[in-house]
């Protein structure tokens, strides 16, 4: 089932989360057709750890736990769909066993990272599900020191169930 986000009212201000609702991307595969990938964004893309100091209107359910709406992560999440769509022609990085997409933040030097997983799950509408499990700015993080692979290779290997040759 695709993920659909609506609006969240916090301290009288309404925040639209619909940009994080499920969307489709297409990755070319050998033979001329495309992998159809449903992209789902998890709540860690716009929330942080919930603390006892947080007001109830900040709470966002995450399974059996709660997270707190984060204005900084929310603002950065507005860039996330475009960053994912542009990554189709780019590289994916490997960091501590996590596959990530790195993108720039306007006016900032630290990278914006989106960690994701791809699972083959064929339906009439899509071939795979890409779940963005977290997205955040990472101060001082050197993305140039990480192994990389083409996004297309990561998708085709996930679909085939084979290992990725990280270079």
């Amino acid at each position: 089932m695709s993920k659909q986000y609506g609006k969240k009212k916090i301290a009288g201000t309404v925040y639209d989360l619909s940009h994080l609702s499920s969307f489709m991307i297409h990755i070319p595969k050998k033979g001329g057709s495309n992998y159809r990938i449903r992209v789902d964004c998890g709540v860690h893309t716009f929330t942080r750890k919930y603390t006892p100091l947080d007001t109830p209107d900040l709470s966002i359910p995450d399974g059996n736990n709660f997270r707190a709406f984060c204005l900084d992560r929310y603002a950065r999440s507005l860039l996330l769909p475009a960053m994912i769509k542009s990554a189709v022609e780019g590289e994916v990085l490997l960091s501590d066993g996590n596959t990530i997409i790195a993108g720039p933040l306007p006016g900032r030097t630290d990278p914006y990272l989106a960690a994701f997983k791809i699972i083959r799950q064929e339906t009439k509408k899509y071939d795979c599900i890409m779940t963005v499990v977290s997205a955040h700015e990472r101060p001082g993080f050197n993305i140039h020191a990480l192994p990389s692979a083409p996004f297309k290779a990561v998708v085709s290997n996930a679909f085939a169930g084979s290992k990725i040759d990280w270079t």
Side-chain angles (χ1 to χ4, degrees), residues 35 100 116 131 139 150 155:
Y35 291 112
I100 60 174
F116 68 94
T131 303
V155 170

Side-chain angles (χ1 to χ4, degrees), residues 86-147:
S86 69
V88 167
E89 296 299 324
E91 297 286 311
V92 173
L93 306 171
L94 182 66
S95 176
D96 296 325
N98 296 308
T99 48
I100 60 174
I101 297 169
L105 288 169
R108 309 286 297 222
T109 57
D110 295 318
Y112 181 52
L113 306 177
F116 68 94
K117 296 178 183 196
I118 295 179
I119 298 171
R120 179 179 178 172
Q121 186 173 341
E122 295 179 81
T123 72
K124 290 181 180 184
K125 294 182 179 181
Y126 53 84
D127 303 306
C128 305
I129 298 175
M130 175 181 173
T131 303
V132 181
V133 294
S134 184
H136 55 278
E137 183 177 6
R138 181 74 64 89
F141 192 73
N142 182 7
I143 60 171
H144 305 292
L146 299 175

